[in-house]
Amino acid sequence: MRTVIAGGHGQIALRLERLLTARGDEVAGIIRKAEQADDLREAGAEPVVLDLESASVDEVAERLRGSDAAVFAAGAGPGSGAARKDTVDKAAAVLFADAAVRAGVRRFVIVSSMGADPEHKGDEIFDVYLRAKGEADAYVRGLDALDWTILRPGQLTDDAGTGLVRLEAHTGRGPIPRDDVATVLAELVDTPATAGLTLELISGPAPVSVAVKSVAGN
């Protein structure tokens, strides 16, 4: 299986790349800076240098063509201003989804955020972020050519993963190690029966594989 990950140098993406390549998958990670390439190679992934804030749909589709799945794990980051929430968290996600459609890659997983909502009120940077993520999610939901799954993790931590999660349409707020987010993503990529679902994720009682099978209806 070949998967292309947008935001390939992100903390969750690097973990996901290691998991996917360890199980024998072929993985490419889209990065903005060439100096990030060695970190991707160390994770077993092929680095693809492409700026999603300036690339065209055709340029991104060319990188996606022939893949089995696409994962949007890019983000403007906590230090960025409101403008980049719009250009990365929203516009780059929309671009990546359109490119997946053009390239014929049906399986599409997007890493969103708990509380993402296009109607979210407020003027703080985090409010802008939640609106941007919500608008991206709404756009992806409207694309019939994609078998999409939206994952909304709770508060991200760098604690060691436990492999135990709560994955449901509505979990309530709570923390989740990035390790476990990556593990869930690896399972979701390989579980197209979760298409059409928006899922919240926090630490919980269920092993990842059991949690994913449960929401997939198995």
Side-chain angles (χ1 to χ4, degrees), residues 131-209:
R131 275 197 298 276
K133 294 299 272 186
E135 288 165 357
D137 293 353
Y139 185 84
V140 168
R141 285 194 191 103
L143 296 175
D144 293 336
L146 295 181
D147 295 329
W148 54 264
T149 303
I150 296 168
L151 183 66
R152 293 179 166 177
Q155 178 193 348
L156 298 171
T157 74
D158 287 323
D159 297 338
T162 65
L164 298 172
V165 300
R166 186 175 172 195
L167 180 70
E168 297 168 14
H170 300 287
T171 60
R173 296 192 175 274
I176 179 77
R178 288 178 173 87
D179 286 350
D180 289 333
V181 177
T183 304
V184 169
L185 285 169
E187 197 82 18
L188 288 175
V189 163
D190 213 20
T191 312
T194 59
L197 299 179
T198 300
L199 301 167
E200 294 184 350
L201 173 67
I202 57 174
S203 293
V208 167
S209 60

Side-chain angles (χ1 to χ4, degrees), residues 21-92:
T21 56
R23 74 184 190 192
D25 288 5
E26 186 181 333
V27 184
I30 296 177
I31 53 177
R32 202 160 50 91
K33 300 175 181 174
E35 55 265 32
Q36 297 170 336
D38 284 346
D39 290 338
L40 269 73
R41 292 189 189 100
E42 278 182 31
E46 168 201 345
V48 176
V49 181
L50 187 67
D51 187 349
L52 294 177
E53 288 179 272
S54 59
S56 69
V57 173
D58 283 336
E59 286 173 320
V60 182
E62 189 57 38
R63 306 311 198 282
L64 281 166
R65 203 158 277 118
S67 300
D68 302 291
V71 177
F72 186 83
S80 58
R84 293 201 72 229
K85 305 303 182 195
D86 192 60
T87 58
V88 179
D89 293 294
K90 177 187 172 183

